[in-house]
Amino acid sequence: MVETAGSAGGLQPTAIATLFAGNRLLATFSPGDRAILESAAEVVELTRDAVLFDAGGEVPASYFPAAGAMISLVIFIGDGRTVEVATIGKEGAAGGIVSCGSAPAFARAVVQMSGPALRVPIAAIESVKARSAHVRSIFCRYADALLAQVMQSVACNALHPIETRCCRWLLTAHDRVEGEIIPLTQEYLAEMLGVQRTSVSPIARSLQDKGLISYRRGRIEITDRAGLERNACECYRSVERHFAAVLPEPKPQKLIDAGGGMA
């Protein structure tokens, strides 16, 4: 379920500024580019397990998560199994970023962790891309970074042991949540890794025995981030390096709030 919190234009100026500043892509928008989106955007609360769009279906809107929210792009295999191919949080967006107009989705976009996001209809996305060279550039750069994540996931899933893949996934999730707690069950983690739950349970115990995580049903606390990085495969660092090269940390532009003042 995706709950609507209200249109961007109807929110308090501070809330609008927080939403735009809280997403790495939106934080780079000029006041003019931002105004195009504000008129059509809605603030939504993404709830866990909500399906934003499905494979083969139309993509009605783009979702720009803020800190804490996380979306997975998931592929279904013919025998009923699923595997995550990309994770999207406050650094990016899901849906319609590089497609030109209407196009069917290839993967399912499902909310992995609840949190706020800005929902923008595809028509508004196309409008701002048509008018702004900056927006076209930042979206293309993000698409390159997202493709790198997908390609690295393919190699990682094929070649690396489950434990190092698990460490990589936990680091990726930790980067996108607020604080040290990741709300997660072993069943869900197994589904994201494309393995059986019985494969994940001993790995979770091993990581806890090493002091890297603390696990209670439904939540994982990262207790040794540096140790988790040492135990992860090189795929985590490879994707992070490419992301930093293609889409450096933005210098947010000044934003004009709904009342006309600077935020």
Side-chain angles (χ1 to χ4, degrees), residues 121-150:
I122 291 298
I125 293 292
E126 292 303 314
S127 178
V128 74
K129 286 196 293 186
R131 299 187 192 189
S132 173
H134 165 74
V135 171
R136 290 195 300 273
S137 174
I138 204 75
F139 281 0
C140 284
R141 286 174 176 271
Y142 174 65
D144 183 281
L146 190 62
L147 179 60
Q149 184 185 160
V150 172

Side-chain angles (χ1 to χ4, degrees), residues 238-255:
S238 295
V239 171
E240 290 300 301
R241 283 195 299 267
H242 186 72
F243 200 103
V246 172
L247 195 67
E249 195 69 34
K251 296 179 180 179
Q253 302 183 39
K254 289 184 179 179
L255 303 177

Side-chain angles (χ1 to χ4, degrees), residues 81-235:
R81 289 180 297 170
T82 62
V83 64
E84 181 192 69
V85 295
T87 303
I88 298 166
K90 61 186 178 180
E91 82 294 340
I97 297 302
V98 293
S99 59
C100 297
S102 179
F106 186 76
R108 169 178 287 185
V110 60
V111 178
Q112 194 175 85
M113 295 182 192
S114 302
L118 202 66
R119 181 185 187 274
V120 184
I122 291 298
I125 293 292
E126 292 303 314
S127 178
V128 74
K129 286 196 293 186
R131 299 187 192 189
S132 173
H134 165 74
V135 171
R136 290 195 300 273
S137 174
I138 204 75
F139 281 0
C140 284
R141 286 174 176 271
Y142 174 65
D144 183 281
L146 190 62
L147 179 60
Q149 184 185 160
V150 172
M151 290 191 293
Q152 196 71 48
S153 292
V154 172
C156 187
N157 292 342
L159 300 175
H160 290 150
I162 298 174
E163 180 167 333
T164 61
R165 289 167 52 202
C166 182
C167 292
R168 173 201 171 209
W169 193 95
L170 291 173
L171 289 168
T172 299
H174 188 229
D175 288 341
R176 291 160 174 80
V177 300
E178 292 185 301
E180 307 304 315
I181 305 297
I182 302 173
L184 186 72
T185 64
Q186 289 190 15
E187 291 86 351
Y188 204 83
L189 179 56
E191 183 177 335
M192 291 301 98
L193 295 174
V195 300
Q196 298 294 322
R197 183 190 181 282
T198 52
S199 300
V200 171
S201 296
I203 289 172
R205 287 196 298 270
S206 174
L207 295 178
Q208 184 162 258
D209 291 343
K210 293 176 182 178
L212 306 182
I213 66 171
S214 176
Y215 176 74
R216 293 181 181 178
R217 182 166 180 80
R219 53 178 276 168
I220 293 176
E221 180 180 1
I222 306 301
T223 53
D224 184 355
R225 165 84 190 202
L228 202 63
E229 290 186 16
R230 288 192 297 270
N231 278 265
C233 57
E234 70 268 24
C235 296

Side-chain angles (χ1 to χ4, degrees), residues 34-77:
R34 176 186 164 192
I36 298 173
L37 295 189
E38 277 191 15
S39 62
E42 290 181 305
V43 179
V44 296
E45 182 70 18
L46 302 179
T47 56
R48 183 160 175 184
D49 295 329
V51 176
L52 305 181
F53 51 82
D54 218 336
E58 294 298 317
V59 179
S62 296
Y63 292 83
F64 296 83
M70 200 158 76
I71 299 167
S72 285
L73 297 183
V74 178
I75 297 294
F76 284 81
I77 308 300

